[in-house]
Each structure stands twice: as structure tokens, then as C-alpha cells.
Amino acid sequence: ALLTAGTNYGLTNIRVSDLAGNLLTTSTAADALAVAAAGGGADGYIQGAVVFADKSGDGQLSAGEASSLTDSVGSFSLPSNGNLIMRGGVDVSTGLAFQSQYEAPTGYRVINPITTLVLKEYQITSQTLAQSEQWARNALFGTGVNTTTVIGTYDPFRAATETTATTEARAQAVSYQKVALELSNIMDVG
């Protein structure tokens, strides 16, 4: 049977969690469906990936460059002294090996397909980083949409499961993750 957003089905307390352990308790089916869509099956946190600050700019982990392994919810801790590069690990949503490479500009605290696109745009144009971020927002979400999202720190899984998040914030998180997944599929294919 299909569930329909906006229908409560007589439920008063819905609990949704993803494989990384993020949990949401809500009373609306729309919120539960949004979180299920954001955390489901195809793309999630990457555990055990090597993330490093590419201080030398050569795309390789070199002696003296800071590196870290991601934990079960994709978290890592590094000094901000170079663009970030992430390789390896396992997608906790699917259990499959992560075979792509994601990148992010210096100073970013998250790394995903969207941060990779921002960095590539920044590197090949004469735009500022802020202009490259706005270009990515416009290209991926349309002008005037998703303009308040801070790409360098935004985690759609956390945004979708915060207990104080509005239905609109959860829908934005789902939209963001869907775009990231589509971009990831394009990047994986080439």
C-alpha cells in the first residue's frame, strides 16, 4: 500500500530512523515520509572514508597533510588548510563500497557531490567562492530557491531529523539530498 503525504492514518506518534541512528519522532505522516525519503536506500553517510586537507593541491594525500577517517555518521575532524578530498569507505545506507571521490573547498565542514561541484566551478572560473556557491544553487535548485542553505555546513540528513525542524525544512532537506544523489549518479558515470 502506498502512503500519501498529508494523511495521518490515525497515527499520533511516528518514529523514523536511518541506519546511522538518526531518529525523528513526529505526529505527521508528511514529516515521516520526508525523513524516510532523505535517509533511504541510495546514498547516505560514508563510514571509513579517508578525508584529507590537500594543502599541496595535487589531489594526493602527501606527507604532512592532515587526514582523518569518517565515523559511522560520516563525521571527520581536520584543520582547514586545504581543499578537502574524500575517498574510500562504505555507504552506511547501502553497505556498498564508496567508489567515488568527493571534494570541497577549504573551510567547508561537509563534503558531498554538491560541494564537489562548487569546488570545480570555483577552480575553473574567475568567480569568488560565494559566486560559485550561488551558481551551484541556481543551477541545481533554480533561482530564488534554497538560497539560505549554507553549502559548506549543510547536512540534509541532520536537517531532516532535527526534532525542531519544520515540515518545510524537512522538505528542503529531502530536495537537497535528491539533487545530491542525482549529481552523484552523474559523477559516478563520468
Side-chain angles (χ1 to χ4, degrees):
L2 294 175
L3 299 178
T4 304
T7 305
N8 231 14
Y9 302 100
L11 301 173
T12 57
N13 219 5
I14 302 168
R15 293 171 49 100
V16 179
S17 67
D18 64 13
L19 292 176
N22 296 309
L23 177 67
L24 168 72
T25 301
T26 182
S27 62
T28 66
D31 288 349
L33 289 171
V35 173
D43 190 25
Y45 291 122
I46 307 299
Q47 177 180 12
V50 174
V51 179
F52 64 96
D54 188 23
K55 190 175 181 179
S56 64
D58 64 358
Q60 300 299 318
L61 177 56
S62 305
E65 292 180 332
S67 67
S68 177
L69 287 177
T70 58
D71 65 15
S72 63
V73 291
S75 294
F76 60 91
S77 180
L78 288 174
S80 181
N81 62 357
N83 293 333
L84 298 176
I85 296 179
M86 179 177 78
R87 297 183 186 127
V90 174
D91 184 322
V92 298
S93 295
T94 64
L96 298 174
F98 178 71
Q99 298 180 350
S100 296
Q101 174 174 299
Y102 290 162
E103 301 178 27
T106 301
Y108 274 38
R109 301 311 312 154
V110 296
I111 187 168
N112 57 49
I114 294 174
T115 65
T116 303
L117 181 66
V118 169
L119 178 62
K120 295 307 179 188
E121 173 68 11
Y122 177 64
Q123 289 174 331
I124 64 172
T125 67
S126 58
Q127 296 188 87
T128 66
L129 183 55
Q131 290 170 324
S132 295
E133 288 173 350
Q134 191 57 52
W135 172 86
R137 279 189 204 92
N138 292 345
L140 298 173
F141 303 103
T143 57
V145 178
N146 220 347
T147 57
T148 59
T149 300
V150 179
I151 294 174
T153 59
Y154 188 67
D155 179 346
F157 292 108
R158 284 201 176 105
T161 57
E162 286 180 359
T163 57
T164 59
T166 64
T167 299
E168 181 181 325
R170 288 191 178 99
Q172 179 179 340
V174 170
S175 172
Y176 190 94
Q177 185 56 22
K178 283 180 181 178
V179 168
L181 176 57
E182 291 168 359
L183 189 56
S184 172
N185 288 336
I186 293 168
M187 296 166 90
D188 286 347
V189 171

